[in-house]
Amino acid sequence: ILFFFNKRKKEKLRTTKRTMNYKTIIFIIAATIAIITFTGEAYQYEHFDDGPPGFEEKKIAIKVSETLELGFRSQFHMTAYNWYFDTDASVATTVKLSGVKQEKNPKKEGRLTDNFVFNFTGVKASAAGQHDRLIFECYRVWEGKNLSENTVVLNVTVV
């Protein structure tokens, strides 16, 4: 009788351990999914072309830690016009430049292709009524920004 009792006790213990292992695995999977879902970085995308010469100004609002991707298109491999971020004239206190990419002929990915990409991340909230002013210009490097063909001014507010 003692042998039968020990055997049932061991079997019940194994079943309990298996159940606990499955519950633990399910909990870990659910927690991982929740973390990935709720900590995903926010993202905004804006596109600008070198089109006919001109000036464009736009207001954009992003959140703290959100990434703002600014894509500019220019046929610089044929015309030599490049997009430049004017660090001297721009005021960036609540956003920081977090990445730059330049490609001659970017591959199409289901949207307008950008060969000049600038990423900015919101680092702190803007003061009431204040914004950062980001200035981008399109010109040939040897002509300088005095002969800029296009200018884009972005007023970015971080909330």
Side-chain angles (χ1 to χ4, degrees), residues 64-81:
V64 173
S65 79
E66 183 174 16
T67 298
L68 173 62
E69 179 177 295
L70 303 171
F72 296 86
R73 178 74 182 149
S74 170
Q75 296 182 358
F76 78 99
H77 61 285
M78 294 174 12
T79 62
Y81 280 96

Side-chain angles (χ1 to χ4, degrees), residues 74-128:
S74 170
Q75 296 182 358
F76 78 99
H77 61 285
M78 294 174 12
T79 62
Y81 280 96
N82 290 292
W83 281 98
Y84 299 95
F85 172 51
D86 190 342
T87 55
D88 296 330
S90 296
V91 176
T93 58
T94 61
V95 296
K96 72 172 183 171
L97 185 63
S98 55
V100 176
K101 182 174 83 171
Q102 178 180 337
E103 291 183 49
K104 270 188 177 181
N105 293 311
K107 293 182 173 59
K108 292 185 179 184
E109 299 173 358
R111 66 175 184 196
L112 296 171
T113 55
D114 303 314
N115 46 6
F116 297 91
V117 179
F118 302 89
N119 288 338
F120 290 87
T121 304
V123 291
K124 65 179 182 178
S126 301

